[in-house]
Amino acid sequence: CANLVDVEDPEMKSHLDVYPNPTKNQLQMVWSAAGPAKVVIYDVHGHEVYNNIGLRSPAIIRPNLNAGLYSLVLTTSSARMMETVVIE
């Protein structure tokens, strides 16, 4: 029985920048994965509080969220990236 090892190539890793972070209400995002993206933001309880489909890099979103800590998940056809976001 052969053991399979998952080796991650650092040059193939997708990259996501979200700024400013923390922010009041506007986030700019830049990512390296090709194609349109879906952005979903979850609160600390795991509830979906924002989503937007078809975004292209760079993108600006205004999620209009209450102050707190959130998880932003950006998904393209080739990658899934996550970033923690602080709303003031």
Side-chain angles (χ1 to χ4, degrees):
C1 179
N3 290 332
L4 298 177
V5 178
D6 185 16
V7 178
E8 190 172 322
D9 182 354
E11 291 186 28
M12 296 298 289
K13 188 172 184 179
S14 297
H15 183 75
L16 171 64
D17 286 326
V18 178
Y19 54 92
N21 192 10
T23 186
K24 298 271 186 223
N25 187 40
Q26 179 173 300
L27 292 167
Q28 181 159 345
M29 301 173 298
V30 178
W31 59 93
S32 60
K38 176 182 180 181
V39 172
V40 180
I41 299 178
Y42 299 93
D43 66 15
V44 294
H45 303 291
H47 299 117
E48 182 179 308
V49 294
Y50 175 87
N51 72 57
N52 197 328
I53 299 171
L55 295 172
R56 297 213 177 253
S57 182
I60 295 174
I61 62 170
R62 293 174 184 86
N64 196 26
L65 301 171
N66 294 327
L69 191 65
Y70 296 88
S71 294
L72 182 148
V73 178
L74 185 139
T75 307
T76 69
S77 61
S78 63
R80 184 170 188 210
M81 299 158 273
M82 187 176 93
E83 185 74 34
T84 300
V85 175
V86 178
I87 305 293
E88 296 178 324

